[in-house]
Amino acid sequence: MIHLTYTHWPYIAASYGFALLAMLWLSVQLALRLHRTTTRLALLERHDARRKPTS
């Protein structure tokens, strides 16, 4: 009887690794996008506050 030492575990580990990398990539992109958006919003609010009279 021939016993193969090669199993399917490397494929499972690779798929989990790729899933983790994809989640990390998407999380970093989301954080950068959120930072840019909040910066733009703060700039717009600051310019908007200058235009409105405080009467």
Side-chain angles (χ1 to χ4, degrees), residues 9-23:
W9 291 112
Y11 292 107
I12 294 173
S15 66
Y16 275 106
F18 283 131
L20 287 173
L21 285 175
M23 284 190 284

Side-chain angles (χ1 to χ4, degrees), residues 16-33:
Y16 275 106
F18 283 131
L20 287 173
L21 285 175
M23 284 190 284
L24 179 65
W25 175 259
L26 291 174
S27 298
V28 168
Q29 292 300 316
L30 178 65
L32 290 174
R33 189 177 195 177

Side-chain angles (χ1 to χ4, degrees), residues 30-50:
L30 178 65
L32 290 174
R33 189 177 195 177
L34 182 63
H35 179 67
R36 281 192 305 256
T37 305
T38 53
T39 304
R40 285 182 182 176
L41 181 61
L43 259 168
L44 287 174
E45 287 177 348
R46 187 173 64 188
H47 287 303
D48 192 37
R50 288 182 188 167

